[in-house]
Amino acid sequence: MASNRGQGGIQQLLAAEQEAQRIVNAAKNEKLARLKQAKENAEKEIAEYRAQLEYEFQKKVSESSGHSGANVKRLELDTGAKIHHLKTEAGRISGDVVTTLLKYVISVKN
């Protein structure tokens, strides 16, 4: 009888050990599943964030390139206006400049 009780105790210990191993394995599997899900969620968030940053960057690039075209056009108009003003002023005072130069050239000869 003592041997049956000893055998029964060993069987109980083996069964308890197997149950404990099953519980540990189930916990490991659940942990791995949670880690996998967390990784997938993080990758999704990273992709969304990256897409948002790319969108904002492209928006700024398109806005700045639109402004630079407008700036170039404005600068061309300003430059054209300044050139026209200089030509007008040069034409207006060219007679006076020639007269002044001739006056000094003639006075140096004498």
Side-chain angles (χ1 to χ4, degrees):
M1 265 212 203
S3 136
N4 280 345
R5 281 179 43 204
Q7 237 4 26
I10 292 175
Q11 290 299 322
Q12 282 182 331
L13 285 174
L14 287 175
E17 184 179 341
Q18 288 175 349
E19 179 64 18
Q21 188 63 39
R22 187 189 62 73
I23 291 171
V24 168
N25 286 340
K28 284 181 182 179
N29 290 337
E30 288 176 19
K31 180 181 178 181
L32 287 174
R34 284 193 312 268
L35 286 174
K36 183 179 178 183
Q37 184 64 39
K39 181 180 177 184
E40 289 172 359
N41 290 345
E43 287 174 349
K44 181 181 175 185
E45 285 182 32
I46 290 169
E48 289 172 356
Y49 180 69
R50 188 171 288 159
Q52 178 65 28
L53 288 179
E54 181 66 23
Y55 170 78
E56 290 173 7
F57 174 73
Q58 292 300 332
K59 184 178 175 183
K60 286 184 180 183
V61 166
S62 67
E63 287 174 356
S64 67
S65 67
H67 289 306
S68 69
N71 287 339
V72 168
K73 187 68 172 172
R74 183 184 53 80
L75 287 174
E76 286 175 351
L77 291 173
D78 288 349
T79 304
K82 287 178 183 178
I83 290 171
H84 178 69
H85 175 72
L86 289 173
K87 285 182 178 180
T88 303
E89 287 298 307
R92 186 179 63 80
I93 63 169
S94 67
D96 293 338
V97 172
V98 171
T99 303
T100 305
L101 286 174
L102 285 175
K103 177 179 148 189
Y104 284 109
V105 170
I106 293 171
S107 67
V108 172
K109 274 181 145 181
N110 295 333

